Amino acid sequence: MSTVSDAFLRNDSFRSNSLRSESFSEEKDTGTVQEVGCLSIIVLGASGDLAKKKTFPALFHLFKQIQYVSGSYDSEGGFQLLNKQISEHELSKRSEPGTSRRLFYLALPPSVYPPVCKMIRRYCMNQSDLGGWTRIVVEKPFGKDLKTAEDLSSQLGELFDEKELYRIDHYLGKELVQNLLVLRFANRLFLPLWNRDNIDSIQIVFREDFGTEGRGGYFDEYGIIRDIIQNHLLQVLCLVAMEKPVSLYPEHIRDEKVKVLQSVIPIKFEEVVLGQYEGYKDDATVSDNSNTPTFATIVLHIYNERWEGVPFILKAGKALNSRKAEIRIQFKDVPGDIFESKRQGRNEFVIRLQPSEAMYMKLTVKKPGLEMSTIQSELDLSYGLRYQDANIPEAYERLILDTIRGDQQHFVRRDELRVAWEIFTPLLNSIEEGKLKPIMYKPGSRGPAEADELLAKVGYVQTHGYIWIPATL
């Protein structure tokens, strides 16, 4: 069975919300599925934007009833009451003391993680020596820079073992992101191509066609680099660039992600373009002197045998002319090109993460007709067409289920987090010191023109006249 106790953020208080179903099975390391004790999931911060948009919709598909407990984040009495409520529920399901499982989901500002975790540790832990467990899910941002992230990791590390901490990044739960390892390492086609000998550049792109939409105060504190690039896009980069792991064991995969991040050389500021859309400061919660970028294009370089010389372009922005997230792998020009196909554009393998999930390869082919002329087309795997009857779960559904199973493959490990912040902290410091300024751009545009100029400078060739149209029935 399962229970969820949801804590609702309201000033400095919480409410605990219990969602229940009758039974639950957990897959053990041996591969067998066994009935185990009662499961309790406790979400703190449920009145926030994240919980409303992501956490609750995911949990809605897993649970059916709701029950509330109120209390303060630093109130011993509140957490004692929460523990009493959970224990009574566990006993009502005939779960042996200490054998149940408790999953705490902290949909809260990072500043309150330490006091909340201290209360959980003191009053709400299960007895793991009797077969039960307690796990903590923490949401990004995991700090604001290297120092604050390390401070936060140290505080949580004093309370919980790494195997009990799940740093969630919902991009790692997206269907096409989870497909990356299968695509790369289960297909012979890609093995000889996935390197600097064949690939000219790689773009990882996140675009939104709306602005901060009432989140101006929060966003102004973090900016587009902390909000999107340092976590979501960098996680995708790891899966695109990492070496083949020894096995699918979670720690083997996370080891390879850390290795590729350690191979990233310091960011060159001349390979960074920052932008801020016109009207961003009209939000009353945003400072008139804000230097916060709402757009950024950053070029990373990985210094290893596979990727030396290949630019990895991370690009994210708000209030742009389209909404999408995708990976664009552009191949080198054809040597000895007898068809002069360069004018059509390069081969490009595109993985559309959202919306309209798809994978397509841009190819030069003969244009139908009597003439021997060429045109660019594509080999297209559109998920909506190919997998019409498949139910693709939301990323949070998948990741919450992973936490229940104890699978940390799609969660960020502490050393991985540290290296990620090492990459971006010098750049973030320079922005906050005013050494780098965002360029103004019009809402509904592609962003600053300087970003396209930077792409051309590092070798990306834009295809003109070709538009991919999602396949339909």
Side-chain angles (χ1 to χ4, degrees):
M1 59 74 48
S2 53
T3 301
V4 176
S5 298
D6 272 296
F8 282 70
L9 173 62
R10 186 156 307 183
N11 296 325
D12 62 345
S13 64
F14 71 78
R15 272 184 269 168
S16 168
N17 169 357
S18 254
L19 300 148
R20 305 176 180 177
S21 65
E22 287 308 310
S23 64
F24 194 85
S25 298
E26 181 170 336
E27 186 172 345
K28 299 297 185 181
D29 292 339
T30 59
T32 60
V33 178
Q34 303 176 1
E35 289 293 330
V36 294
C38 172
L39 168 68
S40 299
I41 302 179
I42 301 90
V43 182
L44 296 114
S47 70
D49 186 66
L50 169 70
K52 292 175 181 176
K53 291 182 178 178
K54 301 291 186 180
T55 312
F56 284 149
L59 290 174
F60 178 77
H61 294 282
L62 302 176
F63 306 102
K64 297 180 180 179
Q65 300 180 23
I66 298 175
Q67 188 177 45
Y68 299 95
V69 176
S70 297
S72 173
Y73 289 142
D74 57 358
S75 166
E76 295 183 1
F79 280 89
Q80 288 172 335
L81 179 61
L82 177 58
N83 183 63
K84 180 175 180 290
Q85 181 86 15
I86 299 170
S87 298
E88 289 176 352
H89 173 65
E90 292 168 347
L91 289 173
S92 74
K93 298 301 178 181
R94 298 179 181 177
S95 180
E96 293 293 328
T99 64
S100 298
R101 300 154 301 157
R102 298 182 178 185
L103 175 61
F104 290 83
Y105 193 113
L106 307 189
L108 298 167
S111 58
V112 301
Y113 285 173
V116 168
C117 285
K118 286 179 182 177
M119 290 295 175
I120 293 172
R121 183 75 202 182
R122 186 174 301 170
Y123 297 109
C124 299
M125 293 291 288
N126 209 345
Q127 296 173 268
S128 59
D129 57 328
L130 296 179
W133 50 250
T134 302
R135 292 172 185 157
I136 311 296
V137 181
V138 293
E139 272 283 355
K140 76 171 185 70
F142 313 118
K144 293 186 65 177
D145 52 25
L146 178 59
K147 183 182 183 305
T148 56
E150 279 291 277
D151 289 345
L152 182 59
S153 291
S154 296
Q155 292 178 72
L156 298 186
E158 292 175 357
L159 299 168
F160 303 102
D161 295 333
E162 185 67 23
K163 66 180 181 180
E164 296 173 312
L165 291 171
Y166 290 71
R167 299 174 189 87
I168 194 169
D169 185 326
H170 78 272
Y171 256 58
L172 291 175
K174 289 185 176 295
E175 181 69 29
L176 270 295
V177 174
Q178 295 206 342
N179 198 16
L180 283 171
L181 293 189
V182 179
L183 187 72
R184 287 191 56 195
F185 301 123
N187 294 284
R188 181 65 181 263
L189 168 68
F190 291 113
L191 292 178
L193 299 180
W194 213 269
N195 54 54
R196 64 190 179 96
D197 295 330
N198 300 286
I199 293 175
D200 192 81
S201 66
I202 295 177
Q203 279 194 74
I204 305 172
V205 180
F206 173 93
R207 304 168 65 89
E208 286 184 334
D209 55 3
F210 53 88
T212 53
E213 303 290 322
R215 296 174 66 240
Y218 165 84
F219 186 87
D220 199 56
E221 184 180 353
Y222 291 95
I224 197 71
I225 297 174
R226 291 186 179 97
D227 196 39
I228 301 296
I229 295 178
Q230 184 272 342
N231 37 71
H232 298 334
L233 301 194
L234 195 65
Q235 286 296 314
V236 174
L237 178 146
C238 288
L239 297 174
V240 170
M242 63 181 270
E243 295 299 318
K244 185 177 181 178
V246 175
S247 74
L248 293 178
Y249 179 63
E251 294 312 311
H252 291 161
I253 294 172
R254 301 205 291 181
D255 286 345
E256 295 302 330
K257 290 170 66 182
V258 172
K259 288 179 185 177
V260 77
L261 290 179
Q262 290 172 331
S263 300
V264 175
I265 65 176
I267 295 171
K268 301 174 183 178
F269 290 176
E270 62 268 25
E271 293 186 332
V272 174
V273 172
L274 305 176
Q276 187 184 92
Y277 67 84
E278 296 174 3
Y280 169 70
K281 298 177 186 176
D282 293 344
D283 188 322
T285 61
V286 174
S287 168
D288 292 338
N289 300 316
S290 174
N291 197 46
T292 300
T294 61
F295 174 99
T297 296
I298 301 171
V299 181
L300 298 185
H301 297 274
I302 298 173
Y303 188 70
N304 64 17
E305 183 180 5
R306 182 183 294 271
W307 297 117
E308 183 182 2
V310 177
F312 283 76
I313 304 158
L314 307 186
K315 181 165 64 175
K318 290 184 171 292
L320 299 177
N321 60 349
S322 63
R323 174 184 172 267
K324 65 181 178 181
E326 63 185 13
I327 306 164
R328 307 186 75 89
I329 300 168
Q330 188 170 93
F331 291 85
K332 294 180 181 294
D333 290 325
V334 174
D337 181 13
I338 61 174
F339 290 102
E340 298 182 355
S341 57
K342 183 184 294 186
R343 65 174 181 267
Q344 302 293 347
R346 289 174 168 172
N347 294 145
E348 226 174 4
F349 182 43
V350 182
I351 303 172
R352 174 67 73 93
L353 305 180
Q354 68 178 34
S356 304
E357 293 93 339
M359 293 184 288
Y360 62 95
M361 177 72 82
K362 293 164 61 174
L363 301 172
T364 298
V365 299
K366 178 185 176 298
K367 186 176 182 180
L370 296 175
E371 301 296 326
M372 181 57 74
S373 57
T374 60
I375 190 173
Q376 193 161 70
S377 188
E378 71 281 326
L379 297 176
D380 189 343
L381 171 58
S382 291
Y383 272 52
L385 182 63
R386 180 65 177 84
Y387 303 113
Q388 297 178 43
D389 298 327
N391 177 29
I392 299 178
E394 288 293 325
Y396 275 92
E397 289 182 51
R398 197 190 308 264
L399 294 176
I400 289 172
L401 188 57
D402 282 345
T403 63
I404 296 170
R405 290 171 171 167
D407 184 351
Q408 292 186 304
Q409 173 182 337
H410 302 114
F411 296 83
V412 181
R413 202 167 64 189
R414 180 175 177 175
D415 56 344
E416 183 182 349
L417 177 65
R418 181 176 64 251
V419 181
W421 279 118
E422 287 175 351
I423 294 170
F424 286 99
T425 293
L427 173 61
L428 292 167
N429 288 344
S430 294
I431 295 172
E432 292 182 353
E433 292 167 3
K435 296 178 181 177
L436 294 176
K437 299 283 188 180
I439 301 165
M440 302 303 293
Y441 64 94
K442 293 185 178 298
S445 69
R446 285 178 51 84
E450 289 83 349
D452 287 335
E453 294 169 5
L454 174 61
L455 263 62
K457 180 181 177 182
V458 299
Y460 179 74
V461 178
Q462 188 171 352
T463 302
H464 297 284
Y466 169 87
I467 299 176
W468 175 73
I469 301 174
T472 58
L473 290 175

